[in-house]
Amino acid sequence: MAKKTILDFLEMKEKGEKIVFLTGYNAQMARFEEAVGVDMILVGDSVGNTDLGYDTTLPVTMEDMLTFTAAVRRGAPNTFVVGDMPFMSYQTSVEEAIYNAGRFIKEAGADAVKLEGGAKVADIIRGINDAGILVMGHIGLTPQSAAQFGGWKAQGRNAEQAVSLVKDALALEEAGAFSILVEGVPAPVSKVIRDKCRIPILGIGAGHPCDGQLLIVYDMLGMFEAFKPKFVKRYGNLAQDIKDMLAEYVKDVREEAFPTREYEYGMPKEAQALFEELLEKEGLA
Ligand code: KIV
């Protein structure tokens, strides 16, 4: 299937067809996601939590993100890939933001970048867009600013905050964002944002009204065990499945139940005979 473009995403919004968005961090998972027809893959800086073992996304670097984004690109050559700009790769100046956004496109093969923030980052979005790079906004419970929210708290749950989120979305659209990810926001607020914006509104923990849905792939596969956010639907329990398989391997090796003959390479008869003869000759028998 041909890679979707922003025109396809706009058309999907107009027709009310949902956009399927999923995070991905490596080539193997990206292959699976492309095989089942995921529309868009986000190489999120959540890779800091999922694969790099950090407690937050803050330590993730540009080099980390380029490595993971390039891997996803190789695994899913025909899927729209969004590279997530890590903390401090865009906040310091518009010039630095454009430079780093360009690296995602040039060095990692991303189709677009995403960055966090509302009206305050509109100039950065404008600069990146003016440089010819597709940029997705991200508002609501933005993980890089979680400390400013006092932790992992849904945003827009009071009327003033909700109105301010709608204004943020409109400011990002006006600045040139091709779509906006809304995270951890009540469904009635997402609905207003969806209706007010012409561009696709994608949601994670933002309810059914959004034009598309995102989940962290490890959450939906049941690989992340520490806790389950309210908005996550687990489609399996891969953590348990993997641990069961690993435990069986540990047992098999210890009990010499693996490898059995079927997993071993043989040697042609004459080579075996010659091998034994040579060992004898070399005093190695
Ligand atoms: O990094 C990421 O995966 C994200 C999601 C949490 C929305 O930005």
Side-chain angles (χ1 to χ4, degrees):
M1 215 163 68
K3 192 201 285 184
K4 292 203 167 70
T5 69
I6 54 164
L7 298 181
D8 295 311
F9 299 131
L10 277 173
E11 194 180 323
M12 288 171 84
K13 173 169 179 133
E14 275 158 23
K15 290 185 175 162
E17 283 171 22
K18 297 288 182 182
I19 299 167
V20 183
F21 197 18
L22 204 51
T23 69
Y25 311 104
N26 59 54
Q28 182 57 70
M29 194 62 79
R31 271 182 218 118
F32 291 147
E33 293 182 16
E34 180 159 296
V36 300
V38 167
D39 295 311
M40 231 191 244
I41 300 178
L42 171 67
V43 187
D45 64 352
S46 49
V47 72
N49 307 101
T50 58
D51 289 82
L52 293 174
Y54 297 127
D55 289 336
T56 71
T57 56
L58 303 184
V60 176
T61 65
M62 269 302 294
E63 304 310 318
D64 292 332
M65 289 309 302
L66 293 175
T67 300
F68 287 104
T69 305
V72 167
R73 170 80 297 153
R74 288 189 288 272
N78 298 316
T79 305
F80 192 93
V81 170
V82 182
D84 202 8
M85 298 193 69
F87 184 56
M88 282 301 130
S89 69
Y90 60 92
Q91 288 94 339
T92 47
S93 71
V94 175
E95 288 71 24
E96 191 157 347
I98 296 172
Y99 174 74
N100 283 323
R103 292 191 70 195
F104 273 95
I105 310 297
K106 281 180 75 136
E107 297 176 39
D111 297 293
V113 296
K114 171 176 90 57
L115 58 87
E116 299 182 8
K120 283 186 196 150
V121 299
D123 284 347
I124 295 171
I125 298 248
R126 186 171 289 107
I128 295 175
N129 184 53
D130 286 351
I133 298 169
L134 293 173
V135 53
M136 176 185 286
H138 181 175
I139 58 174
L141 174 49
T142 43
Q144 291 174 16
S145 333
Q148 287 189 320
F149 305 138
W152 289 88
K153 291 183 168 49
Q155 298 297 297
R157 296 187 84 179
N158 69 55
E160 289 77 21
Q161 256 189 18
V163 170
S164 146
L165 279 173
V166 176
K167 287 183 180 167
D168 279 339
L170 290 170
L172 298 188
E173 175 170 71
E174 197 275 324
F178 78 96
S179 69
I180 300 171
L181 177 64
V182 178
E183 178 167 359
V185 163
V189 184
S190 312
K191 181 177 181 306
V192 175
I193 294 174
R194 180 203 65 192
D195 291 345
K196 289 275 169 203
C197 289
R198 202 181 51 83
I199 56 176
I201 302 303
L202 306 165
I204 175 164
H208 70 279
C210 300
D211 298 308
Q213 293 294 331
L214 172 71
L215 279 179
I216 304 270
V217 66
Y218 291 161
D219 282 345
M220 55 83 68
L221 293 174
M223 274 179 73
F224 180 66
E225 294 179 289
F227 65 93
K228 190 187 88 63
K230 176 181 166 64
F231 61 83
V232 169
K233 177 173 175 184
R234 283 186 179 150
Y235 288 80
N237 189 350
L238 216 49
Q240 196 53 53
D241 293 346
I242 290 173
K243 284 190 287 185
D244 287 348
M245 290 184 272
L246 295 177
E248 201 175 327
Y249 173 70
V250 168
K251 185 167 172 288
D252 273 4
V253 172
R254 293 205 172 123
E255 292 177 359
E256 297 190 40
F258 173 83
T260 46
R261 283 286 160 86
E262 64 182 305
Y263 300 102
E264 292 177 356
Y265 292 108
M267 215 175 175
K269 264 207 181 104
E270 310 79 70
Q272 171 94 33
L274 189 58
F275 179 45
E276 281 163 21
E277 207 180 301
L278 284 178
L279 286 176
E280 189 81 36
K281 213 173 178 177
E282 303 279 342
L284 295 168

